[in-house]
Amino acid sequence: MTYKLSLSQARSLLLQGQALGSVSSSPIDVLKQLGYVQIDTISVVERAHHHVFWSRFPKYKPSDLEQLVSSRQAFEYWAHAAAYLPMEDYRYTLHMKKRFAKRESSWWPRDPKLMKAVLSRIKNEGALQSKDFSAPSDTKNGWWQWKPAKKALERLFMEGKLEVTHRQGFHKVYDLAQRVIPDSVDKTMPTDSEFAQYLIRRTLRHHNFATPSEMAYLQRGHIKNLVKTEVNHLVENGELVRLAVEGIDQDYFASPQTLHHKPVRNRQVHILSPFDNLVIQRKKLLDFFDFDYQIECYVPAAKRKYGYFCLPILVGQNFVARIDCKADRKVGKLLVNTLSWESQEYKTKYKDRVMNKLKAFAKFNNCQI
């Protein structure tokens, strides 16, 4: 049997799953609901990971994330990109760590001698940054050049031998995994089936409904196939149901409990990061919100339509505008380069509310309009 949803019902479920339908009670609740929050280096406005938390928890401040890491409620690893994850999900990163350890070449090539030396120093000296491995000033090609050591640190991090214990500024501080991950955390390697089930559960938690391809996003072929198999088993057992959404030629899957969710009347205004968990699903944005979005910082300046770091603006169930702005921290001003409305109707209807939200966004960036 296939259950049918209207487009409005589907949008409401998506926004609830993304914790954008109501205000979350704490940063850790946001992280657990989303499953991960992407880390990004761009600082035109407050960095993406802080921005994502703020969009769901307006009282959020960057020190809240530092507290989650220091209290070992969160840790860094890889989701679809570098991310913060809830500590309770640690064992599900072991799958990728084991796979990465088998690779001889990658972004960070294996250098056993250097990796052994890096581990030895951290074991004996405690947590270190990449800058602690700089070459002596009189050595042109010394062992401790920043680039080789950084690659070794990242390789050890991806293999799970090192963890990021905290950051200083935006720089990673690495320590031995056993000194970072609490003893109480489950460190048993999940089976392939357990890992596939985890991907299904996590995706359905933060999207409420999804396709097997979305559940296995960026996973290897074996896991993709296993996710499809597990979804079929769960449907046969009644643990998942098949959904059809008005106007969209695609089957989705959801927990039966999802069908009992009452749509929340959502009138909130959200200025979202380009790396927001909702926004990075470009196809879903287009299919469900008729919003064709591209981040343009990677586009040549002459070809940009909306601006270098354009932020989507969501009001209720509709994406109504895009704003390209920059936090000028020297003078404490949020500079608005462009504000592009999706329609004149949206501008007339929502301008005042969007400007009020922009003031809050400026404050979050320690700026004023």
Side-chain angles (χ1 to χ4, degrees):
M1 179 177 179
T2 299
Y3 294 85
K4 295 183 179 180
L5 295 177
S6 69
L7 187 58
S8 179
Q9 288 173 319
R11 286 180 175 182
S12 180
L13 285 173
L14 279 175
L15 295 175
Q16 287 179 47
Q18 286 288 304
L20 289 168
S22 59
V23 176
S24 297
S25 57
S26 69
I28 189 59
D29 286 340
V30 172
L31 184 59
K32 288 181 177 181
Q33 178 65 29
L34 296 180
Y36 63 88
V37 171
Q38 183 175 338
I39 302 169
D40 196 73
T41 59
I42 298 174
S43 58
V44 175
V45 292
E46 187 60 83
R47 285 190 170 97
H49 40 288
H50 297 309
H51 191 164
V52 169
F53 279 104
W54 175 80
S55 294
R56 293 152 174 85
F57 184 66
K59 295 180 181 179
Y60 174 84
K61 50 189 183 300
S63 60
D64 291 335
L65 182 53
E66 295 172 11
Q67 195 278 328
L68 290 183
V69 174
S70 65
S71 63
R72 303 311 185 209
Q73 296 180 75
F75 70 104
E76 287 191 34
Y77 196 60
W78 202 261
H80 77 280
Y84 288 101
L85 298 95
M87 186 63 77
E88 62 196 41
D89 287 357
Y90 177 79
R91 71 182 290 244
Y92 297 104
T93 66
L94 300 177
H95 207 272
M96 184 174 183
K97 288 168 180 172
K98 179 181 179 181
R99 193 170 72 238
F100 200 93
K102 294 179 179 179
R103 297 179 184 173
E104 286 300 320
S105 61
S106 68
W107 305 306
W108 302 286
R110 177 181 292 280
D111 184 337
K113 188 176 181 181
L114 181 56
M115 290 165 65
K116 182 178 179 180
V118 166
L119 277 175
S120 179
R121 278 198 61 188
I122 290 177
K123 180 179 179 180
N124 294 326
E125 300 176 35
L128 297 172
Q129 299 181 56
S130 61
K131 69 177 184 180
D132 297 314
F133 295 89
S134 298
S137 58
D138 60 346
T139 304
K140 292 183 179 180
N141 295 300
W143 226 20
W144 302 115
Q145 281 185 320
W146 184 88
K147 287 185 178 179
K150 174 65 174 175
K151 289 177 181 178
L153 287 164
E154 284 297 306
R155 175 89 195 199
L156 290 163
F157 168 69
M158 291 302 296
E159 291 185 8
K161 297 180 177 66
L162 293 179
E163 298 286 341
V164 177
T165 182
H166 64 279
R167 287 184 180 241
Q168 289 186 357
F170 196 63
H171 300 288
K172 294 178 181 177
V173 182
Y174 302 86
D175 204 350
L176 301 179
Q178 58 266 36
R179 297 203 291 232
V180 175
I181 307 303
D183 292 339
S184 59
V185 172
D186 188 351
K187 304 178 185 67
T188 57
M189 176 69 68
T191 65
D192 285 356
S193 179
E194 286 176 322
F195 183 61
Q197 291 173 21
Y198 161 73
L199 294 174
I200 294 168
R201 290 195 307 272
R202 186 179 72 176
T203 306
L204 293 182
R205 185 173 66 247
H206 66 236
H207 279 279
N208 269 325
F209 59 90
T211 67
S213 293
E214 290 168 350
M215 297 169 187
Y217 182 57
L218 294 184
Q219 295 296 321
R220 296 162 69 101
H222 169 60
I223 296 299
K224 283 186 176 182
N225 292 333
L226 192 53
V227 166
K228 290 179 183 178
T229 300
E230 291 290 342
V231 166
N232 289 333
H233 287 164
L234 292 170
V235 171
E236 291 171 3
N237 295 337
E239 295 178 57
L240 291 182
V241 294
R242 195 181 301 268
L243 296 181
V245 179
E246 170 194 4
I248 299 177
D249 186 20
Q250 172 71 63
D251 280 348
Y252 294 90
F253 298 89
S255 164
Q257 288 73 31
T258 299
L259 302 176
H260 303 300
H261 287 191
K262 293 183 178 180
V264 175
R265 183 172 174 77
N266 175 23
R267 301 182 68 250
Q268 293 185 58
V269 179
H270 293 289
I271 299 174
L272 298 176
S273 166
F275 301 103
D276 192 276
N277 293 49
L278 176 65
V279 175
I280 57 177
Q281 293 288 345
R282 304 283 198 257
K283 187 176 185 301
K284 257 185 171 168
L285 279 188
L286 187 58
D287 287 347
F288 288 88
F289 298 94
D290 193 26
F291 188 64
D292 190 3
Y293 176 75
Q294 179 184 21
I295 182 172
E296 296 185 344
C297 57
Y298 306 119
V299 174
K303 295 184 178 181
R304 289 175 194 149
K305 185 176 179 181
Y306 298 105
Y308 176 81
F309 202 64
C310 184
L311 313 178
I313 301 178
L314 176 71
V315 180
Q317 291 190 352
N318 298 297
F319 283 90
V320 304
R322 313 166 197 235
I323 187 167
D324 181 47
C325 51
K326 174 182 173 63
D328 188 335
R329 296 172 179 90
K330 290 183 179 179
V331 298
K333 290 286 186 181
L334 185 71
L335 308 177
V336 177
N337 299 316
T338 61
L339 176 55
S340 306
W341 294 91
E342 295 298 292
S343 72
Q344 184 61 41
E345 178 187 357
Y346 285 153
K347 181 178 180 180
T348 301
K349 190 173 182 179
Y350 297 122
K351 181 179 179 181
D352 290 344
R353 293 180 60 202
V354 167
M355 294 310 295
N356 283 335
K357 188 67 176 183
L358 190 58
K359 292 177 183 177
F361 184 63
K363 184 178 180 181
F364 168 61
N365 280 274
N366 295 314
C367 293
Q368 296 180 339
I369 293 294

